[in-house]
Amino acid sequence: MRRPLIAGNWKMHLTPSEGAALATTLRQRIGMRSDVEILLCPSFVALQAVSEVIRGSEMKLGAQNVFWRGSGAFTGQVSPPMLCAVGCEYVILGHSETRGRFGVNDPDLDTSVLPYFSETEATLNRKLCAILPHGLKPILCVGETLAEREAGHTESIIRAQMEGALQGVAGDELYDLAIAYEPVWAIGTGRVCDADEANRVCGFIRQTLRDLYDDELAETVRVLYGGSVKASNAHTLLHQPEIDGALVGGASLNAEEFEQISYCAPKR
Ligand code: 13P
């Protein structure tokens, strides 16, 4: 049975001391839960502080990105061994905010800068291949924009994102993979995807794993939903049969809200 994964993506919020304070509260409230897996993904600079707070609890630590080389002249980048050294177990890969839609919610954004931040399937594939030998578990984000959805391209976009990121990776290396369905139009907008539709697309993701690999992998990989998840909508989303957890943005910055979301997960 797939254990629900409730992950908080803190994005570019919280200093190390603020992150440690939130992690301390969460540790007290839900730190020893074993029915669900609780994951915190702070910014790079807060990883160490949060790691120290959650050590000895059941909570897990994840990074929001990684670079594919182990070391070298790559100014501003963080390598897989560095993440392992601070206690990370997971890495978010291919979030829409790093896939070339970076900063689109910024009203002052000059869109000509976007390509400098954009991630491609090829860079994601390198990152995925780089973290697996270190035992880091990928959370691969996929999802369509509103324009892509309205054009009827949701499935083809997601399949291409999965094929690109997983290219050349053997199924037996992917048992710890999680895939997060994050429709871009639902992220940070308060416009949550309807639970039936989120379940349908998560089922499509599982079917794609079955097509690309086999039944066993498809039944093992956890498929999460992300995009405006809150305590008020989490119960319905998390009780869908194809949804194995949530990747929570804004609501994960509030201890009470995140705790409530974690209690919405079904006992499996
Ligand atoms: P929100 O929950 O703020 O919509 O963000 C979702 C997300 O992008 C998680 O990775």
Side-chain angles (χ1 to χ4, degrees):
M1 221 48 209
R2 298 182 295 266
R3 184 155 67 117
L5 174 60
I6 306 296
N9 176 7
W10 292 358
K11 306 192 180 183
M12 198 176 70
H13 293 283
L14 307 182
T15 62
S17 59
E18 290 165 346
L22 177 57
T24 302
T25 306
L26 290 171
R27 183 188 168 128
Q28 285 159 359
R29 295 183 177 199
I30 50 175
M32 300 316 277
R33 297 270 300 278
S34 56
D35 54 328
V36 291
E37 196 170 13
I38 308 277
L39 170 66
L40 305 182
C41 301
S43 71
F44 285 133
V45 296
L47 284 170
Q48 179 71 39
V50 173
S51 180
E52 284 164 17
V53 169
I54 67 175
R55 189 169 300 143
S57 77
E58 293 292 325
M59 300 169 88
K60 305 285 170 56
L61 187 68
Q64 298 175 17
N65 205 345
V66 68
F67 192 62
W68 56 80
R69 297 293 292 270
S71 64
F74 303 106
T75 302
Q77 302 302 313
V78 175
S79 71
M82 291 172 178
L83 297 183
C84 292
V86 291
C88 283
E89 198 170 308
Y90 285 88
V91 184
I92 296 172
L93 294 179
H95 194 282
S96 69
E97 288 157 9
T98 65
R99 274 183 190 263
R101 296 161 189 142
F102 193 93
V104 289
N105 293 327
D106 181 349
D108 299 327
L109 183 78
D110 168 1
T111 50
S112 67
V113 305
L114 288 182
Y116 295 103
F117 296 100
S118 68
E119 185 121 70
T120 64
E121 309 314 335
T123 60
L124 285 171
N125 181 249
R126 281 176 177 242
K127 291 177 178 184
L128 193 100
C129 292
I131 66 170
L132 293 173
H134 294 277
L136 289 164
K137 301 172 182 172
I139 300 180
L140 175 66
C141 300
V142 297
E144 80 290 356
T145 62
L146 189 57
E148 289 162 349
R149 166 164 285 265
E150 286 172 347
H153 295 158
T154 299
E155 286 80 359
S156 60
I157 291 287
I158 289 174
R159 190 175 169 112
Q161 289 173 337
M162 289 174 64
E163 284 177 350
L166 300 175
Q167 198 181 353
V169 186
D172 58 10
E173 294 186 70
L174 292 175
Y175 279 87
D176 288 324
L177 171 70
I179 299 185
Y181 171 50
E182 294 215 323
V184 179
W185 46 270
I187 296 176
T189 58
R191 186 178 162 191
V192 67
C193 183
D194 186 67
D196 287 348
E197 175 60 5
N199 185 59
R200 188 189 70 76
V201 179
C202 290
F204 170 79
I205 290 170
R206 201 177 305 287
Q207 182 57 45
T208 304
L209 284 170
R210 207 169 273 126
D211 296 347
L212 297 177
Y213 295 97
D214 54 33
D215 274 348
E216 198 185 339
L217 186 72
E219 292 305 322
T220 306
V221 166
R222 286 179 292 186
V223 182
L224 318 180
Y225 169 78
S228 297
V229 175
K230 298 183 178 56
S232 57
N233 58 31
H235 183 90
T236 319
L237 286 161
L238 291 170
H239 278 73
Q240 301 299 314
E242 297 290 357
I243 299 180
D244 303 316
L247 184 53
V248 186
S252 70
L253 299 169
N254 179 304
E256 193 148 321
E257 186 89 8
F258 192 60
E259 177 188 9
Q260 282 178 27
I261 292 169
S262 77
Y263 279 107
C264 292
K267 302 253 183 296
R268 287 185 173 154

